[in-house]
Every structure is written in C-alpha cells, then in structure tokens.
Amino acid sequence: MRTFRNYTLPSHNLLSILFLLTFACFHGHDVQAWSKEGHVMTCQIAQKLLEPEAAHAVEMLLPDYVNGNLSALCVWPDQVRHWYKYRWTSPLHFIDTPDQACNFKYQRDCHDPNGVKDMCVAGAIQNFTTQLSHYKEGNSDRRHNMTEALLFLSHFMGDIHQPMHVGFTTDEGGNTINLRWFRHKSNLHHVWDREIIQTAAADYYGKDMDLLRQGIQSNFTDGVWSDDLASWQECDDLSTCVNKYAAESINLACKWGYKGVEAGETLSDDYFNSRMPIVMKRIAQGGVRLAMILNHIFGDPREEQGLLAAT
C-alpha cells in the first residue's frame, strides 16, 4: 500500500490556527461530501463506541481546544481540500466507477483523474489506518502527522458510506445531475449529502441534529438494526472490508440514488420517504465501523496486526 504523503507533525497550536483560518475561508461554500451534520453524527456515533484505550488515544491526538471532541474536526478534510498543501487529498474523498457498471473493483476504480493508483477513498482509508498503526511507537516514526491521519480516516469513513461518493464517472457521482429538491435548486449528489439529512431533521426532530443522531443510535442499540450490529463490526482484513463498504455504496447508488431520477425533475416526498432510512443507516454504519477500526488500531496489538495483514 503506497503512502500518499510524508510530512512532520506540527504542534496542536498550528493545527488550531490552520483550522480556524480554513473555517473562515470555506464557511458557506458547497462541499462535496456528507454535509457537516452527516460527518459530525458519524464521528459522534463512533466516539461513543470507543473502548477506553482507544478513547484515550483519540483524546491525546486531538488538539486541546476541542476538549476531546472528535466530531468538532470531522469536517476539517473538506475544508482544506482546496488549499495548496492539501490539494493532493481532493481525489481521496470519492470513487468514480464506470457508468452503469454498478460494482466496485479496486484495481479498476481506485485512482485519481490522472490514473494514479490508490488515490481514492478506499485507498485513503487503508493508508491512514496504516499510518495510525504506528501510534504506539511513540516518537520513533516522525514521518506522519498522527492527528491529521486520525481526522482524515474519520472523515473518509463517512465519505465511503455516502452512496453517491461511489458513483458514475460521467456525472461525477450525481454532481452534474441538476434538479429540484422540493422547492429549491439542487443536484443529485447534494440531495444525498445534505438535503435528506436536513429534511429529516426538520420534519421529525425540530431541526435538532442531536435528537436525530440519538434516533439513529437507538435504531442499532435496541431498534430495527440491532440484529445487524455485530455484522457491521466484523472485519478480519481491512482491505477486504473497505472494498465491501465501497461495493455497498455503489450498489445503493444504483438501486436508490440514480434509479428513476432524471435531470431537471423535482424530487419530493416519495423520494425522501424511501431514501431517508438508507441515509440514516449509512451514517450509523459509518460510525460503527469507524469505532471498530479505531478500537483495533489503539487496542490489542494482536487484533491490529490481523486487521492490517494485507495492507
């Protein structure tokens, strides 16, 4: 597995300054990923499922000013992707698959627009997981910024579970399919990134995102997904598991994202009601699986070795 970038670990103060400057520059701009709310919920779900050793490691890696709250920085990779220093990370947020193929093949699909291999969200998850696996080596490996690796991994585990992030090449995962969401202009990618989440929050939770997140969690703790939780957490080999997550997304994109949608039309209640449970389930799966990976990385070294055997 290739390493995308080598750079030294800056201080937490520098990361804080970079975050604040980035937020000031990009606040209000459209970003092509789970919305801020989607990423925040994914990371909140994951952090609540961390075992003590992993929870401590995550807290140690986060800058002091977020007070141990991983979700406060889960949107950071979107905010820096167009900065010169981080421009190389832009292709890592998605996977473009052949139009209408409706499947994912790593060797065929995981590359950037110039054909550079491993430069996609599936490759990025493997890469940053491998980087974080050096955490317990202390200061012996200074090549990678462990804090940034944590933020990228957390963000990309959200991205790979957003079905339209593993979409068709020609329409850029639905970004060029312009339409209307109820009464306002949007596009198919943005519908899955943000519109469905915000509509669900407004219609059922009084726009309270924390209540929405609690509703999602209750569905896998003692609700309709509780019998599926154990299977979501299963992973003996990271490469195989990440490929599975990407395959799930393109399958959902074909069956539920693209199906029956034409450019210029209006999507409303029928589309929302049938797709909303899928979006919520993918946020849940992303959070559960992120926790599983972090628990492997920062927990029992024997489990970590098994997870990373093929990377």
Side-chain angles (χ1 to χ4, degrees), residues 98-254:
D99 294 3
Q100 310 300 327
C102 293
N103 58 44
F104 169 70
K105 297 181 179 179
Y106 188 94
Q107 293 301 322
R108 180 192 69 192
D109 303 328
C110 192
H111 56 78
D112 71 6
N114 296 316
V116 178
K117 295 293 185 181
D118 301 318
M119 295 292 286
C120 79
V121 66
I125 290 170
Q126 295 180 60
N127 181 75
F128 288 115
T129 300
T130 300
Q131 289 189 29
L132 282 174
S133 71
H134 297 290
Y135 172 77
K136 293 181 181 178
E137 298 172 9
N139 294 328
S140 61
D141 186 350
R142 301 288 293 181
R143 293 176 302 163
H144 307 306
N145 180 335
M146 296 289 177
T147 299
E148 291 190 355
L150 171 64
L151 301 184
F152 280 122
L153 172 62
S154 300
H155 182 90
F156 293 143
M157 279 298 290
D159 280 348
I160 201 169
H161 283 86
Q162 204 278 57
M164 301 305 294
H165 271 250
V166 191
F168 298 159
T169 300
T170 300
D171 58 52
E172 300 174 8
N175 273 294
T176 65
I177 301 178
N178 295 315
L179 40 73
R180 298 186 71 85
W181 180 250
F182 291 88
R183 296 183 178 181
H184 64 263
K185 292 181 180 179
S186 189
N187 65 60
L188 185 59
H189 189 100
H190 195 62
V191 163
W192 284 77
D193 272 351
R194 190 180 185 108
E195 308 282 18
I196 292 174
I197 294 172
Q198 290 195 324
T199 301
D203 286 1
Y204 299 110
Y205 297 97
K207 298 184 179 180
D208 189 324
M209 298 306 301
D210 197 49
L211 288 178
L212 174 57
R213 189 259 308 160
Q214 291 175 31
I216 293 172
Q217 286 180 190
S218 68
N219 277 332
F220 66 76
T221 54
D222 56 10
V224 294
W225 306 325
S226 58
D227 290 341
D228 300 323
L229 182 61
S231 66
W232 295 355
Q233 295 171 316
E234 290 176 358
C235 184
D236 295 324
D237 169 63
L238 183 67
S239 177
T240 300
C241 295
V242 172
N243 290 348
K244 173 187 173 183
Y245 308 156
E248 290 172 350
S249 281
I250 184 58
N251 183 266
L252 291 170
C254 286

